[in-house]
Amino acid sequence: MKSFKLQILLLVLLGLVLSDMIYYRYNALHLYETALHLNKNPYFIHVDLDDYKMYVFKNGEVIKTYPVSGGRVISPSPLGTWTIISKSDWGEGFGGTWMGFNVPWGKFGIHGTDEPWSIGRPLSHGCIRMYNKDADELQKMIPIGTKVAIVKGVFGPFGDYFRVLEPGHTGADVLMVQRRLNDLGYYHGYCDGKYGEGMKSAVHRFQKDHKLPISNKISLTMYERMGFIPME
């Protein structure tokens, strides 16, 4: 009997540890910190890649505005809301500063640059670039755990348009489709923003059930069937 109770206790503890690890990955906070309201971070960062401006909020008010650069069309910035999970001092190409996000499909963050002429343009590999002095000031000001919202276009996480998705694609749009297919009961893998084999199987099952042509591509018709409606 004692052995059985011990096994149950160990399973409960293991479940709590795993839950905390998953929660921390997405929120940069431990479950107990949220439960006990220990997070007193007053900061929030909003990055608008239509205007290439960063707005730093403290207690709901804008205290700083910085010019920034975002990703190219072929290497877009991760749209959505993320958490700063690391800060460090990187080399010259990154202006000496790095603030990393918890994006599951790649390494993205905020940093300085040795190409100051790129600020105000879509010329990065997906990260948010700043002038070195601005990035240094921000890194000293902003604590780990700060939320960062990156927006562009009128389609939310999809940006300016619904991209035709194919296996091998990564991004915020892939992540949104995975989550929608998960909600609908088709996708059961980890939602990581990567279009792999598991997602392809889910896409085919959805297409079959909704009498769509079986294809690896996710086009506008399938977006609409999943409930994503263009908002122009």
Side-chain angles (χ1 to χ4, degrees):
M1 187 66 177
K2 290 183 179 180
S3 176
F4 177 73
K5 289 182 177 179
L6 181 60
Q7 290 177 354
I8 295 297
L9 178 60
L10 289 174
L11 286 173
V12 171
L13 290 175
L14 179 60
L16 288 173
V17 170
L18 290 174
S19 297
D20 185 62
M21 290 172 62
I22 294 171
Y23 186 84
Y24 185 84
R25 176 170 185 172
Y26 286 100
N27 298 278
L29 291 171
H30 292 287
L31 280 169
Y32 73 85
E33 291 178 303
T34 299
L36 298 176
H37 304 289
L38 298 180
N39 178 33
K40 303 298 184 181
N41 187 353
Y43 293 98
F44 175 78
I45 296 174
H46 179 89
V47 180
D48 187 334
L49 292 182
D50 288 316
D51 297 329
Y52 297 102
K53 295 287 187 182
M54 174 189 291
Y55 302 91
V56 180
F57 290 79
K58 183 176 183 181
N59 294 321
E61 295 186 5
V62 176
I63 60 168
K64 284 285 184 178
T65 303
Y66 299 108
V68 298
S69 174
R72 299 177 175 90
V73 173
I74 60 172
S75 57
S77 297
L79 303 181
T81 300
W82 311 105
T83 303
I84 293 177
I85 59 173
S86 66
K87 297 200 303 180
S88 45
D89 298 325
W90 279 19
E92 181 181 345
F94 296 88
T97 60
W98 170 259
M99 289 161 274
F101 303 149
N102 62 332
V103 177
W105 65 85
K107 199 172 188 68
F108 298 91
I110 301 169
H111 60 78
T113 180
D114 60 356
E115 300 176 344
W117 47 264
S118 69
I119 302 301
R121 304 176 183 180
L123 291 176
S124 80
H125 292 99
C127 288
I128 305 302
R129 292 180 181 176
M130 305 177 69
Y131 290 121
N132 291 344
K133 62 179 180 61
D134 293 342
D136 181 64
E137 181 178 74
L138 184 72
Q139 186 193 46
K140 292 174 180 176
M141 180 195 323
I142 297 300
I144 289 176
T146 298
K147 297 293 182 182
V148 180
I150 304 175
V151 300
K152 185 181 189 303
V154 297
F155 289 82
F158 297 97
D160 294 307
Y161 63 100
F162 288 133
R163 177 173 59 147
V164 176
L165 299 179
E166 300 182 58
H169 281 170
T170 62
D173 46 3
V174 177
L175 181 64
M176 289 298 294
V177 170
Q178 285 178 332
R179 288 175 174 171
R180 181 58 56 86
L181 289 172
N182 179 270
D183 291 342
L184 295 172
Y186 289 94
Y187 182 69
H188 305 293
Y190 173 55
C191 295
D192 57 3
K194 302 176 183 178
Y195 191 162
E197 290 298 316
M199 182 173 169
K200 183 167 71 175
S201 297
V203 167
H204 290 175
R205 289 196 300 273
F206 181 90
Q207 290 168 338
K208 181 179 179 181
D209 288 350
H210 291 80
K211 297 180 172 53
L212 296 172
I214 304 301
S215 170
N216 293 338
K217 295 183 178 181
I218 299 175
S219 58
L220 182 58
T221 301
M222 183 169 170
Y223 278 117
E224 291 177 341
R225 291 291 181 90
M226 288 188 290
F228 296 116
I229 308 299
M231 300 291 289
E232 296 187 279

